[in-house]
Amino acid sequence: MNPVSKVERPVILVVDDEPAVLSALARDLRREYGQHHRVVRAASGEAALEAVRELKLRAVPVALFLVDQRMMGMSGVEFLENAIEVFPDAKRVLLTAYADTQAAISAINDVALNHYLMKPWNPPEDNLYPVLTDLLDDWQASYAPPFEGIRVVGHQLSAQSHRVKDFLSRNLVPYQWLDAEFDEEAGRLLELSSSDSSRLPLVLFPDGPSLEQPSNVQLAERIGLKMHPGLPFYDLVIVGAGPSGLAAAVYGASEGLGTLLIEGDAPGGQAGTSSRIENYLGFPSGLSGGDLSRRAVAQAIRFGTEILTPLEATCARAEGPYRFVTLTDGSEVSCHALLIATGVSYRKLDVPGVERLTGAGVYYGAALTEALACRDRDVFVLGAGNSAGQAAIHLSRYASSVTMLVRGDSLDRTMSQYLVSQIETHEKITVSPRTTVAGVTGGGSLEEIVIKDHTAGDVRSVPAFALFIFIGATPHTEWVADVLERDSSGFILTGPGLLRGARRPRGWHLDRDPFLLETSVPGIFAAGDVRHRSVKRVASAVGEGSMAVQFVHQYLSRVPE
Ligand SMILES: Cc1cc2nc3c(=O)[nH]c(=O)nc-3n(C[C@H](O)[C@H](O)[C@H](O)COP(=O)(O)OP(=O)(O)OC[C@H]3O[C@@H](n4cnc5c(N)ncnc54)[C@H](O)[C@@H]3O)c2cc1C
């Protein structure tokens, strides 16, 4: 436990070697953020690094570095390169003159710069505060306060602990992880709570009794997630709160539709598990999936969307003008229009050992939650798509080595070029082409991966701490298999994809063709990755989610009351 951080405000460290600029910046920052943050000044890169060291020793968190690029001795980027090793989660903003723009753009890759600001920044209300407030909010959302939040005590390589951590982080609930084996504090807490160590993880709440090995539903109830619809009927029910479902919720609710969003796991979908989305319009430095989800959820709620999570839709049916969805708890909710945005999930790797060790060293796309535990370890990533590439880069911040096991000859055909370039020049990442995983072994947790090398034609076992699997996806559509037309892989057919020549789908009773995103049942729509031939990108999922709402309006304008 760290008594200091209970009282210490997170720090904004501002660095500039021009005294007048430094004072003006510090003054502006204190005025806006002084109540919740401590503004620390440093007059050179060297002095700032000393301050960083002291803050770290005293366990005071740094939320943001605001640094002038042009300084004598050490440039802003050079300072950031060193400082982020000590505070990897702190946000980074460079203060630049017009001539430094190129350095700032390079810094987006080199030090994962969050933003660069041009001097002068007056008026700060327009040119300084909006950017910094956004970044400080992001930092705050992922910052786990050591004392006051939820604490999870468990074994690092346990599937149950992994599930609990993953559920909390994907629902954007900050928590502190305490390893029962290595953390003194964990031992003390287990003793105090007289918890049975065979029933870990233990989840401690600041405001009430703890839970041993809780289910996701028990956790959801304790952290106050909403699991029952407030009304029996909605204009629009959306199933799945990935980018597509969230976009539909924002547009639906903002355009006056009574909107319910049902999510089986945690808002954000696949995008929510991404460490850094770099190709989403409007975010030149990228943003994490967690940030995107948090913003989208806030926006959807602001417009009046009701969100239920974690609650799965298990069945859908149509009756006259009404559409019904059955939920895991057996209850039913009805609506005029139903949007299915249930996306896809990772295909399972079917080789010996994987099922038993999943969650205990073997993970499907869980790079965000487990990355910290990989510090100074050798880890492997299986897959060659963008998600595998992002994970490798994220893991390399902590692991001593990351090996990418790639079935093909190279990454070029399957991964975006910007990721390929980062990986090729990364000193900790190795790409191992023409290799596949033939099995995994280990007692309680992963110890070795059996790798088949298709070039050498041999099979070898290598020691490994963790294996992250990213090998394609299957759609979540089993629950509508009897209701909607799907393709041979289970993706939902929509619009023109449903027409055989001029013939409309079986049972279609309207005197028009299905709308672009409408399924084989009028009034049931599909958007995002779950749809046949969808693009499988965040932007396209968001686009389809918002477009679907336009078709819902057209459908509703003709639906009988
Ligand atoms: C690790 C990773 C990194 C990625 N990085 C990028 C990137 O950088 N750029 C990019 O453009 N794309 C990226 N992608 C792809 C992108 O995330 C997806 O294309 C996008 O998330 C699809 O959105 P969606 O809403 O259609 O579906 P999903 O994101 O899959 O969301 C579907 C949601 O539906 C829920 N659900 C499923 N079944 C049910 C049910 N029966 N009841 C209730 N809820 C249900 C799921 O829990 C999930 O939350 C990445 C994907 C991954 C996995």
Side-chain angles (χ1 to χ4, degrees), residues 508-558:
W508 186 266
H509 60 274
L510 302 179
D511 61 353
R512 60 163 176 85
D513 289 346
F515 294 129
L516 191 64
L517 300 178
E518 199 169 21
T519 67
S520 53
V521 175
I524 302 187
F525 299 81
D529 281 14
V530 78
R531 217 173 54 77
H532 172 68
R533 297 227 170 121
S534 55
V535 177
K536 316 278 186 301
R537 290 281 185 278
V538 174
S540 49
V542 167
E544 287 193 10
S546 51
M547 265 163 71
V549 171
Q550 290 314 305
F551 296 120
V552 167
H553 282 304
Q554 289 183 45
Y555 171 78
L556 290 179
S557 68
R558 288 205 247 155

Side-chain angles (χ1 to χ4, degrees), residues 98-304:
Y98 181 71
D100 300 325
T101 309
Q102 198 46 49
I105 290 172
S106 313
I108 291 177
N109 275 340
D110 299 343
V111 293
L113 191 71
N114 295 105
H115 212 91
Y116 62 89
L117 293 166
M118 295 279 189
K119 283 189 280 191
W121 61 90
N122 277 326
E125 284 74 15
D126 290 343
N127 298 327
L128 190 66
Y129 300 151
V131 167
L132 299 194
T133 303
D134 217 30
L135 290 174
L136 288 169
D137 284 350
D138 283 353
W139 180 86
Q140 189 64 46
S142 56
Y143 168 63
F147 240 85
E148 295 154 25
I150 292 171
R151 283 167 297 171
V152 181
V153 183
H155 295 293
Q156 175 57 40
L157 295 168
S158 126
Q160 289 277 13
S161 296
H162 169 64
R163 178 185 52 75
V164 165
K165 286 190 287 176
D166 197 46
F167 181 79
L168 290 173
S169 63
R170 298 200 53 215
N171 276 290
L172 309 170
V173 176
Y175 65 88
Q176 185 187 27
W177 164 247
L178 297 163
D179 192 318
E181 232 168 297
F182 301 112
D183 207 307
E184 273 178 31
E185 181 62 10
R188 229 170 293 142
L189 286 169
L190 286 177
E191 231 169 82
L192 280 174
S193 66
S194 48
S195 183
D196 178 351
S197 64
S198 67
R199 303 258 318 140
L200 294 183
L202 170 73
V203 185
L204 299 122
F205 300 87
D207 57 350
S210 51
L211 292 174
E212 280 179 344
Q213 244 175 40
S215 68
N216 286 358
V217 170
Q218 285 173 311
L219 278 173
E221 277 163 356
R222 281 301 304 275
I223 59 184
L225 299 180
K226 190 168 162 34
M227 291 175 60
H228 304 285
L231 301 169
F233 179 84
Y234 294 81
D235 297 322
L236 172 64
V237 168
I238 302 163
V239 182
S244 180
L246 284 164
V250 167
Y251 282 88
S254 69
E255 290 166 16
L257 299 176
T259 304
L260 177 71
L261 178 58
I262 300 165
E263 167 55 49
D265 183 10
Q270 296 166 74
T273 67
S274 169
S275 46
R276 195 145 173 248
I277 299 166
E278 297 198 52
N279 55 358
Y280 190 50
L281 186 72
F283 295 87
S285 312
L287 86 169
S288 76
D291 286 347
L292 182 66
S293 319
R294 188 174 51 76
R295 287 159 196 243
V297 166
Q299 209 172 358
I301 291 175
R302 191 187 131 218
F303 286 123

Side-chain angles (χ1 to χ4, degrees), residues 12 24 28 30 52 59 132 171 177 181-182 197 219 270 296 317 329 342 368 388 410 436 441 474-475 494 558:
I12 299 174
D28 285 349
R30 282 201 185 105
V52 162
L132 299 194
N171 276 290
W177 164 247
E181 232 168 297
F182 301 112
S197 64
L219 278 173
Q270 296 166 74
R317 68 190 168 89
D329 61 4
T342 45
L368 277 179
S410 73
T436 49
T441 57
T474 46
T494 53
R558 288 205 247 155

